[in-house]
């Protein structure tokens, strides 16, 4: 049973992150996922200190709030003339550092293991069961990550049109009366929430992998946004499945292996994709040369 | 009958220095109007300010006598081609369909009718055979046509187009201008940012001369003179003089 739960958690984390990842990659903002996943740390610590509980929901709100602050700060620095990548770097390292300092200051009160936050431990996730009326209803992580997955599916499919046009052509979107800024922050809230919901099980750094890599891979494989999203979800599910078994065979870190598999799939796509593949391009060029 | 476009005392600044200063004008119905001025004159800014894409410091804009918020559906917009990422995973037809989004409301998806309409618009710009081609695999001129088709799909009564002729060959340019003339003959108002002074007389019945301030707006034959152009372009304009029809050697 534990095999199943771990794979399910991995697949849910992957799917929920890669849906958002598609939009981040297309907005050339994939590093924002990285930034948010680090800068939510102080939000979690502060939420923990205020509420005194490790209740996921409280932490999630704390993190989502800081996630939005992150995006807002990055935007503000950018508007005042700082380079985009520099402002992302400054904001998330500073906030992450604040989180590290907070944890070290309150080590006694805060039962948060920095290693655990960063690298997560999906192997233990199945033991933390959620109980309802005395009976166990599955691991907490499944419910947390599952909820964020459903939230992402719901919001993205409800506003698919708006997200698509404000990603492709924000000027036209705004001129049509679509609140582009609102959707920007809505997307960022989803990223924050998904990150927090996921990091307990797979760790913050590895969430970043699931946000960027399946989406970047899917981008190589199709010319249609809806298909890109579908493919990225499938890739992330395949990665968690394969990743789990490889980790099992090698006795390696499970979440680490899952993300490593996404990387391998990316390389495969990079070389063999029918449209953008490196090999296909070379091959068709050679064929053309031979013809002449 | 309200004017399609009325602008009063519009001033816009990105930083301290205004890039548009106290612009006031009115545009009558059924005119094809060229917006002309040197690089950095504020042509794109003027369009963006009218469409409330950027805030203005002072001034107000009325479209058909009402605020833009109320008249959005009657306005079509063609941004500069470089303003979007052409590597986006989508095809030509889908881009044109985006022109319909304004008419769809919040939750409705485009349906068969919208698709057929978009296809018709692609056909009008001679691009129907490329409907399902990925947009990065279109040439610059074809991309421009797709943008134009998208504006047509907006079914607007007043159009703002930012440099629709950039990177377009002579045949495409003629095809586009024929289309704009057709829109005009249907009583629509079209404002076009244009750079090639050699074709101004042929294309536009009105022109607007802009260089931070409004130099003039009115019938082409009245405003397209050496004096006005010199005022607009300053020293950067060289002309072979023949007072009534200036032949431009280097417009930039
Ligand atoms: N986002 C921005 N931030 C700061 N200044 C800007 C911005 N966009 C434009 N400007 C400045 O505003 C002025 C007007 O720019 P605008 O793009 O409207 O000119 P334009 O007439 O469209 O020029 P072109 O013919 O090159 O397209 C320029 O001096 C430009 O430097
Ligand atoms: Mg411009």
């Amino acid at each position: 049973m534990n095999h199943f739960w771990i794979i399910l958690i991995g697949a849910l984390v992957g799917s929920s992150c890669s849906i958002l990842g598609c939009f981040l990659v297309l907005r050339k903002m994939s590093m924002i996922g990285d930034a948010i996943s680090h800068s939510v740390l102080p939000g979690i610590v502060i939420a923990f200190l205020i509420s005194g509980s490790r209740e996921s929901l409280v932490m999630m709100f704390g993190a989502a709030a800081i996630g939005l602050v992150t995006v807002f700060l990055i935007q503000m620095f950018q508007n005042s003339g700082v380079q985009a990548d520099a402002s992302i770097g400054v904001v998330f390292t500073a906030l992450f550092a604040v989180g590290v300092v907070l944890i070290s200051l309150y080590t006694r009160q805060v039962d948060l293991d920095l290693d655990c936050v960063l690298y997560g431990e999906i192997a233990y996730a199945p033991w933390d069961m959620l109980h309802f009326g005395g009976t166990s209803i599955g691991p907490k992580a499944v419910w947390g990550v599952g909820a964020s997955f459903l939230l992402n599916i719901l919001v993205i499919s409800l506003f698919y049109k708006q997200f698509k046009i404000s990603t492709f052509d924000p000027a036209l979107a705004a001129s049509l009366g679509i609140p582009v800024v609102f959707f920007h922050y809505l997307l960022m809230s989803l990223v924050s929430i998904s990150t927090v919901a996921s990091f307990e099980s797979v760790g913050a750094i590895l969430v970043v992998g699931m946000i960027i890599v399946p989406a970047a891979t899917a981008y190589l494989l199709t010319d249609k946004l809806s298909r890109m999203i579908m493919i990225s979800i499938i890739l992330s599910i395949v990665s968690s499945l394969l990743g789990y078994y490889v980790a099992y065979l090698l006795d390696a870190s499970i979440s680490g292996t899952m993300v490593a598999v996404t990387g391998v799939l990316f390389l495969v796509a990079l070389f063999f994709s029918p449209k953008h593949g490196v090999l296909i391009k070379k091959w068709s060029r050679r064929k053309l040369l031979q013809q002449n | 009958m309200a004017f399609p476009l009325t602008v009063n005392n519009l001033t816009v600044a990105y930083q301290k220095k205004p890039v548009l200063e106290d612009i006031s004008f009115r545009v009558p119905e059924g005119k094809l109007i060229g917006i002309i001025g040197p690089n950095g004159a504020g042509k794109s800014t003027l369009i963006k300010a009218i469409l409330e894409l950027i805030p203005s410091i002072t001034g107000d804009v009325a479209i058909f006598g009402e605020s833009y918020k109320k008249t959005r559906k009657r306005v079509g917009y063609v941004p500069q081609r470089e303003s979007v990422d052409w590597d986006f995973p989508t095809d030509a037809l889908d881009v044109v369909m985006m022109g319909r989004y304004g008419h769809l409301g919040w939750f409705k998806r485009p349906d068969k009718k919208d698709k057929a309409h978009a296809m018709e618009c692609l056909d009008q710009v001679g691009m129907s055979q490329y409907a399902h081609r990925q947009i990065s695999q279109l040439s610059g001129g074809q991309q421009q046509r797709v943008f134009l088709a998208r504006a047509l799909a907006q079914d607007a009564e007043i159009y703002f187009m930012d440099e629709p002729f950039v990177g377009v060959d002579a045949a495409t340019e003629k095809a586009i201008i024929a289309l704009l003339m057709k829109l005009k003959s249907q009583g629509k108002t079209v404002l076009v940012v244009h750079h090639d002074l050699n074709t101004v007389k042929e294309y536009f019945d009105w022109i607007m001369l802009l260089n931070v301030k409004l130099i003039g707006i009115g019938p082409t034959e009245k405003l397209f003179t050496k004096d006005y152009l010199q005022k607009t372009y300053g020293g950067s304009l060289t002309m072979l003089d023949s007072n009534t029809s200036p032949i431009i050697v280097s417009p930039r």
Side-chain angles (χ1 to χ4, degrees):
Chain A
M1 198 57 193
N2 280 351
H3 300 299
F4 170 75
W5 286 130
I6 292 172
I7 292 168
L8 181 64
I9 293 168
L12 284 171
V13 168
S15 315
S16 109
C17 288
S18 54
I19 298 171
L20 305 176
C22 288
F23 288 97
L24 293 181
V25 165
L26 291 175
R27 287 169 178 236
K28 313 224 174 342
M29 284 173 41
S30 35
M31 291 325 280
I32 288 265
D34 195 358
I36 287 181
S37 65
H38 282 76
S39 60
V40 292
L41 185 63
I44 291 164
V45 179
I46 293 169
F48 182 79
L49 287 174
I50 292 174
S51 71
S53 81
R54 259 188 90 168
E55 212 37 68
S56 308
L57 212 57
V58 179
M59 297 227 247
M60 207 166 323
F61 280 118
I66 292 280
L68 288 184
V69 169
T70 310
V71 176
F72 184 79
L73 285 176
I74 290 171
Q75 203 69 52
M76 199 180 79
F77 288 160
Q78 236 165 296
N79 291 350
S80 53
V82 182
Q83 298 276 322
D85 54 346
S87 52
I88 290 177
V90 167
V91 171
F92 92 79
T93 46
L95 284 175
F96 184 69
V98 169
V100 172
V101 170
L102 282 178
I103 288 189
S104 66
L105 279 179
Y106 297 97
T107 12
R108 244 173 261 141
Q109 292 99 306
V110 187
D111 179 27
L112 281 175
D113 184 358
L114 197 55
D115 268 358
C116 195
V117 169
L118 287 182
Y119 305 110
E121 195 37 87
I122 200 169
Y124 302 145
W127 272 283
D128 192 5
M129 285 285 181
L130 199 64
H131 295 277
F132 183 77
T135 49
S136 138
I137 50 168
K140 228 182 195 165
V142 171
W143 286 91
V145 178
S148 90
F149 172 68
L150 287 182
L151 180 72
N152 292 349
I153 291 272
L154 186 78
V155 174
I156 297 287
S157 51
L158 216 50
F159 300 115
Y160 181 71
K161 189 174 73 184
Q162 284 89 342
F163 278 115
K164 180 164 142 190
I165 190 172
S166 55
T167 301
F168 174 62
D169 192 345
L172 180 78
S175 82
L176 294 176
I178 292 168
V180 176
V181 176
F182 168 77
F183 282 106
H184 177 70
Y185 281 102
L186 183 59
L187 183 67
M188 294 308 143
S189 319
L190 292 179
V191 174
S192 312
I193 291 172
S194 308
T195 305
V196 187
S198 313
F199 85 6
E200 254 193 308
S201 40
V202 296
I205 291 177
L206 301 179
V207 170
V208 179
M210 283 296 193
I211 288 179
I212 302 172
V213 188
T217 312
Y219 177 79
L220 296 173
L221 296 174
T222 178
D223 285 335
K224 207 171 164 203
L225 178 59
S226 52
R227 254 180 247 150
M228 177 176 166
I229 296 174
M230 282 312 297
I231 293 175
S232 72
I233 291 178
I234 293 168
L235 285 171
S236 67
I237 293 173
V238 169
S239 303
S240 61
L241 203 70
L242 280 179
Y244 181 75
Y245 282 107
V246 172
Y248 188 73
L249 290 176
L250 301 177
D251 194 21
S253 150
I254 297 170
S255 44
T257 316
M258 284 176 175
V259 176
V261 172
T262 66
V264 172
L265 293 179
F266 175 80
L267 283 179
V268 171
L270 187 63
F271 282 102
F272 298 106
S273 141
K275 287 214 162 121
H276 308 271
V278 177
L279 287 185
I280 301 289
K281 274 185 195 156
K282 263 217 173 104
W283 183 71
S284 49
R285 225 175 283 145
R286 182 168 304 161
K287 215 167 126 193
L288 208 67
L289 276 178
Q290 279 167 357
Q291 274 171 5
N292 294 343
Chain B
M1 185 64 212
F3 281 88
L5 175 64
T6 313
V7 173
N8 277 322
N9 308 104
L10 184 74
T11 297
V12 179
Y14 289 101
Q15 272 110 34
K16 267 203 185 118
K17 215 168 138 252
V19 294
L20 286 176
E21 227 177 301
D22 200 24
I23 309 280
S24 300
F25 66 94
R26 265 195 323 208
V27 166
E29 203 174 58
K31 292 269 183 281
L32 180 50
I33 302 164
I35 303 176
I36 290 156
N39 290 134
K43 305 178 294 293
S44 301
T45 305
L46 176 66
I47 292 181
K48 287 181 192 158
I50 290 172
L51 301 181
E52 297 179 8
L53 299 175
I54 50 172
S56 37
I57 296 174
T58 62
D60 52 64
V61 173
I63 291 171
F64 297 107
E66 295 194 78
S67 79
Y68 177 58
K69 284 195 178 58
K70 287 193 185 148
T71 46
R72 275 184 212 290
K73 283 188 188 164
R74 303 168 74 179
V75 178
Y77 175 40
V78 180
Q80 272 181 281
R81 185 158 52 85
E82 314 84 76
S83 70
V84 307
D85 171 18
W86 290 93
D87 283 325
F88 195 88
T90 184
D91 61 22
L93 183 64
D94 202 40
V95 171
V96 176
M97 211 105 83
M98 290 179 191
R100 301 301 305 159
Y101 285 11
H103 295 272
L104 286 177
W106 272 74
F107 297 109
K108 208 170 151 271
R109 295 265 172 110
D111 58 16
K112 273 218 183 78
K113 242 172 45 205
D114 294 303
K115 204 166 183 173
H117 187 80
M119 203 62 202
E120 220 169 87
C121 295
L122 268 177
D123 198 40
Q124 280 189 51
V125 298
M127 283 287 294
S128 46
Q129 74 267 38
Y130 297 104
H132 296 290
R133 182 158 310 179
Q134 212 278 325
I135 53 174
S136 65
Q137 291 162 14
L138 298 171
S139 74
Q142 291 168 336
Q143 291 173 346
Q144 195 63 62
R145 287 178 189 226
V146 169
F147 256 25
L148 206 70
R150 186 177 71 176
L152 294 178
Q154 287 187 271
D155 259 340
E157 289 157 63
I158 178 167
Y159 286 97
F160 296 91
M161 308 191 173
D162 205 342
E163 306 199 23
F165 299 123
V166 167
V168 153
D169 66 15
T172 304
E173 182 162 329
K174 293 286 175 288
I176 293 177
I177 203 72
L179 195 75
L180 301 187
M181 302 260 186
K182 199 175 123 202
L183 290 174
K184 181 180 82 170
S185 69
Q186 293 166 356
K188 304 190 172 185
T189 307
V190 185
L191 289 98
V192 180
V193 175
H194 190 59
H195 267 304
D196 183 5
L197 293 181
N198 295 301
T199 48
V200 166
K201 278 197 122 161
E202 184 188 334
Y203 291 171
F204 304 108
D205 39 9
W206 265 43
I207 54 173
M208 170 178 198
L209 295 164
L210 191 70
N211 192 349
V212 184
K213 291 184 179 136
L214 181 65
I215 311 293
I217 180 167
T220 311
E221 62 269 23
K222 245 178 72 190
L223 287 182
F224 199 68
T225 63
K226 190 183 160 195
D227 275 356
Y228 271 112
L229 289 174
Q230 212 111 50
K231 248 204 242 163
T232 311
Y233 284 86
S236 64
L237 189 73
T238 331
M239 285 185 277
L240 296 178
D241 200 353
S242 79
N243 226 340
T244 45
S245 84
I247 303 160
I248 287 81
V249 176
S250 66
R252 295 193 186 185

